[in-house]
């Protein structure tokens, strides 16, 4: 334990720690709304709130560089890519009953397992570490960049490939939907033409009888 851990504990939190807890609760609530709402556009907007809350948390942890990277990459790029995907697939603006695939319990089990694993890893890694939120900034751009592109370069590249695959998938789905709409329109036109020809054929004997 450091000196900061000895001066105050959990029963005497500082203002920064209280702000960290409140922002964390807001971020957690926004994340829950993101995965539970049936309106896809609202889910994207709540995702902005979630990612913005994480950026604020990084700022409170004196990690300014990571906070701005969070804003520039995730809020400024990932969410924009998600919105482009929604527009390309012509997602409905209102409630979408098709947003629920029926695998809610399986998804909930996977989410709880991933959350438990993440909490366990974080607690095990920082069990005896105390971060003084009132102190000076502990990280620098050089140290953060070296750690990111040396130790975490594979997950970073895997995420970029995943985002590229999502964009390509959105384009493929939009073209398929457009092709289906074109085929449906052609089928409707053919049906109308057939009905017109049938009506004209049925009317011809009447005309001859009149003559």
């Amino acid at each position: 334990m450091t000196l900061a851990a000895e001066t105050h504990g959990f029963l005497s939190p500082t203002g920064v720690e209280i702000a960290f807890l409140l922002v964390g609760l807001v971020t957690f609530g926004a994340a829950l709304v993101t995965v539970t709402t049936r309106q896809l556009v609202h889910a994207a907007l709540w995702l902005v709130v979630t990612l913005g809350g994480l950026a604020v948390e990084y700022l409170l942890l004196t990690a300014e560089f990571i906070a701005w990277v969070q804003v520039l990459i995730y809020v400024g790029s990932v969410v924009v890519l998600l919105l482009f995907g929604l527009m390309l697939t012509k997602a409905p603006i209102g409630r979408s009953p098709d947003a629920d695939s029926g695998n809610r319990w399986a998804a909930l089990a996977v989410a709880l397992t991933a959350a438990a694993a993440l909490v366990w890893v974080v607690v095990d890694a920082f069990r005896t570490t105390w971060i003084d939120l009132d102190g000076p900034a502990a990280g620098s751009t050089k140290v953060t960049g070296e750690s990111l592109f040396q130790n975490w370069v594979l997950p970073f590249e895997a995420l970029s490939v995943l985002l590229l695959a999502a964009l390509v998938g959105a384009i493929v789905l939009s073209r398929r939907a457009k092709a289906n709409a074109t085929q449906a329109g052609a089928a409707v036109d053919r049906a109308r033409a057939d009905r017109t020809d049938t009506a004209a054929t049925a009317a011809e004997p009447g005309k001859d009888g009149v003559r």
Side-chain angles (χ1 to χ4, degrees), residues 52-135:
L54 290 177
V56 176
E57 296 284 59
Y58 289 136
L59 282 177
L60 294 175
L61 288 174
T62 66
E64 289 84 0
F65 174 72
I66 299 297
W68 290 118
V69 168
Q70 173 81 12
V71 173
L72 293 176
I73 294 181
Y74 287 95
V75 179
S77 299
V78 175
V79 175
V80 172
L81 178 62
L82 179 61
L83 293 176
F84 268 105
L86 293 177
M87 289 187 293
L88 288 174
T89 55
K90 296 181 180 179
I93 301 299
R95 295 176 61 87
S96 178
D98 299 333
D100 191 0
S101 64
N103 299 323
R104 180 180 302 177
W105 295 110
L108 180 61
V110 172
L112 292 178
T113 303
L118 181 61
V119 170
W120 180 81
V121 169
V122 172
V123 171
D124 184 69
F126 300 96
R127 187 184 302 275
T128 58
T129 302
W130 186 277
I131 300 176
D132 186 11
L133 299 181
D134 291 330

Side-chain angles (χ1 to χ4, degrees), residues 149-207:
F149 292 104
Q150 288 181 0
N151 302 328
W152 302 96
V153 62
L154 290 180
F156 191 81
E157 294 299 328
L159 180 60
S160 62
V161 174
L162 178 63
L163 294 176
L164 179 61
L167 180 59
V168 173
I171 296 175
V172 172
L173 290 175
S174 64
R175 290 187 175 181
R176 183 180 301 175
K178 184 177 180 180
N180 293 335
T182 303
Q183 294 176 359
V188 171
D189 293 338
R190 287 196 300 268
R192 289 177 178 175
D194 293 339
R195 286 198 299 267
T196 303
D197 295 339
T198 303
T201 303
E204 287 180 358
K207 293 181 179 178

